[in-house]
Amino acid sequence: MEEGIQQGELKIIQRLLTKRIGVITAELQERLRGLSLTQLEDLAEALLDFSTEADLVAWLQQQQ
């Protein structure tokens, strides 16, 4: 069940990111798929402050 929730959240986040910063590269999409549910929830909030792809990359680097 949690995997279904995670997939749904990932799909919404990808749509929001595309609207916010434009097309997301395949590499970044792969990195997004590797995030936990908690990290996806944190990203959903953080992406409201993103304006460029660099913001997403910086956020992902902080998660490692």
Side-chain angles (χ1 to χ4, degrees):
M1 186 166 139
E2 185 173 320
E3 186 175 328
I5 293 170
Q6 186 170 356
Q7 290 300 318
E9 186 139 351
L10 176 60
K11 192 170 192 171
I12 291 169
I13 287 171
Q14 287 175 324
R15 289 181 67 189
L16 291 172
L17 283 169
T18 299
K19 186 166 181 80
R20 189 83 175 153
I21 63 174
V23 177
I24 302 167
T25 65
E27 177 187 340
L28 287 175
Q29 288 180 21
E30 185 63 32
R31 290 178 69 182
L32 293 175
R33 283 191 285 275
L35 296 175
S36 69
L37 181 57
T38 302
Q39 288 173 314
L40 288 172
E41 290 170 348
D42 292 343
L43 177 56
E45 186 176 326
L47 71 82
L48 297 173
D49 295 326
F50 294 175
S51 58
T52 67
E53 183 180 286
D55 295 327
L56 172 59
V57 170
W59 187 90
L60 288 168
Q61 288 174 342
Q62 291 177 358
Q63 300 308 303
Q64 295 179 347

